[in-house]
Amino acid sequence: MVLTRTRVQDSYPTRVRGEAEPFERVHPAVWGQEHDGPCDAATLASHEANGFTIVDGLLSPAEVQGYWQELTRLSRDERLSDDERVITEKYSGEIRSVFEVHELSELIAELASDPRVLDRARQILGSEVYLHQSRVNYMPGFEGKGFYWHSDFETWHAEDGMPVPRAVSCSIALTDNYPFNGGLMLMPGSHRTFVPCVGETPEHHYQDSLREQEIGVPSKHQITKMAAEHGIEQFTGAAGSALWFDCNVMHGSGNNITPYPRSNIFLVFNSVENTLVEPFAADQPRPTFIANRDFVPITR
Ligand code: 6CS
Ligand code: FE
């Protein structure tokens, strides 16, 4: 008997051999309209053009303090010391990220359904949404290692089976973001181009890639071309500010050698009309603590 797998059309081929040319993305970044939520038309237009939007003061100082305590609590929780959701830094062993935090923290689950967050996610994606991934990034002082240039969608498509770029990330700063403590850098407008990456996905790739990614990153040549075309901007801002960014925007961060940590809560919303299928370029899907397969829409 021949086993056939139902294949979904692959509009964004990646993890190829040899060379592949970047191409223009067919799908929009903004799927909703002004009357669908809190963002005005100008904000939506700028999100479509740049691939990201900054909302200053999304959380009040008191809320920031509450979430900061929550991060501290999670990092000290003995029950999590052997948990696979806790990713440590490659060299120092300090906590780098904790995944699936909406299951570990009631407070963070509430944040995902807070109107300030949920209504924007729904408006940008033009539909009901669910959480594809949640994590907290600690980015400790001195030892915090950056993330090399990448598009999240490239990985979510290849390794998680996300069909098209109809997902948006909300990164909420819990510490002040300076230009010097490992802040996120983005190439405005880069989300309009899909950059296929070279190289086959290794088995259990996530075990390395969440610390240091080597497969699923564009070549230096492509990054150079994109930087020339789009330039590079950095997200700086006070604790409590939020960065909304399209799943295909090219971004990365440097190491943090300052004493100041750069911690954030990272929530990824996907449209319920874009639920995951089989990975497009990996033998096995990643575990559900990284790529949620419970597609129930978030409600208040
Ligand atoms: O692999 C992932 O899904 C994640 N990795 C990075 C470097 N960014 C986004 C996402 O959380
Ligand atoms: Fe990323």
Side-chain angles (χ1 to χ4, degrees):
M1 195 178 74
V2 181
L3 280 178
T4 51
R5 277 213 282 193
T6 345
R7 277 271 162 224
V8 176
Q9 155 94 25
D10 186 357
S11 310
Y12 297 94
T14 186
R15 313 281 164 115
V16 296
R17 281 168 210 250
E19 288 253 315
E21 275 306 304
F23 58 90
E24 193 170 337
R25 149 194 190 158
V26 287
H27 299 91
V30 175
W31 297 65
Q33 314 274 324
E34 185 176 38
H35 61 252
D36 293 330
C39 304
D40 61 20
T43 304
L44 294 176
S46 130
H47 191 89
E48 181 64 63
N50 295 313
F52 62 91
T53 301
I54 293 165
V55 179
D56 282 319
L58 187 114
L59 296 183
S60 70
E63 287 175 311
V64 168
Q65 211 186 348
Y67 282 103
W68 178 258
Q69 280 164 1
E70 190 68 349
L71 256 63
T72 310
R73 181 185 72 78
L74 287 171
S75 70
R76 292 191 182 147
D77 189 334
E78 298 263 302
R79 285 164 303 178
L80 291 177
S81 59
D82 285 333
D83 197 295
E84 57 180 357
R85 292 173 289 192
V86 178
I87 310 294
T88 50
E89 291 286 352
K90 193 167 173 176
Y91 300 106
S92 71
E94 274 198 68
I95 297 183
R96 176 175 172 83
S97 319
V98 179
F99 277 82
E100 207 176 52
V101 279
H102 63 286
E103 294 288 347
L104 297 170
S105 156
E106 190 65 37
L107 205 61
I108 296 176
E110 273 169 29
L111 188 56
S113 63
D114 186 295
R116 291 169 289 180
V117 174
L118 180 60
D119 290 355
R120 284 189 170 89
R122 284 178 174 160
Q123 184 181 23
I124 291 169
L125 301 179
S127 69
E128 293 289 317
V129 299
Y130 72 95
L131 269 183
H132 168 64
Q133 184 185 90
S134 74
R135 66 198 280 185
V136 296
N137 289 320
Y138 285 84
M139 176 68 89
F142 300 110
E143 312 282 359
K145 294 280 172 289
F147 291 91
Y148 191 69
W149 291 106
H150 65 281
S151 143
D152 295 334
F153 173 68
E154 194 280 338
T155 291
W156 298 339
H157 183 68
E159 302 190 26
D160 302 337
M162 183 181 285
V164 304
R166 193 174 174 179
V168 66
S169 300
C170 177
S171 171
I172 303 178
L174 294 184
T175 53
D176 293 339
N177 285 251
Y178 306 104
F180 43 73
N181 63 338
L184 199 73
M185 298 177 279
L186 310 107
M187 296 189 189
S190 58
H191 66 302
R192 302 286 345 142
T193 304
F194 184 75
V195 185
C197 296
V198 175
E200 231 181 281
T201 310
E203 225 185 318
H204 307 305
H205 182 225
Y206 70 92
Q207 290 170 349
D208 297 319
S209 70
L210 298 179
R211 292 191 163 123
E212 189 171 38
Q213 192 169 353
E214 281 164 5
I215 301 285
V217 295
S219 66
K220 288 182 179 146
H221 172 68
Q222 293 302 348
I223 293 169
T224 306
K225 272 179 46 179
M226 292 197 101
E229 188 178 343
H230 302 289
I232 297 174
E233 281 183 25
Q234 192 178 32
F235 171 48
T236 52
S241 54
L243 169 72
W244 287 88
F245 63 107
D246 178 81
C247 58
N248 191 47
V249 82
M250 198 55 72
H251 63 284
S253 55
N255 295 345
N256 181 13
I257 59 167
T258 73
Y260 316 119
R262 181 179 70 84
S263 307
N264 59 73
I265 301 177
F266 185 77
L267 302 169
V268 182
F269 297 91
N270 189 22
S271 166
V272 293
E273 291 162 27
N274 190 36
T275 53
L276 306 188
V277 295
E278 297 283 314
F280 287 88
D283 286 341
Q284 278 180 352
R286 297 194 297 177
T288 54
F289 72 85
I290 306 175
N292 181 18
R293 285 181 184 264
D294 176 2
F295 309 131
V296 180
I298 305 172
T299 52
R300 290 225 187 100

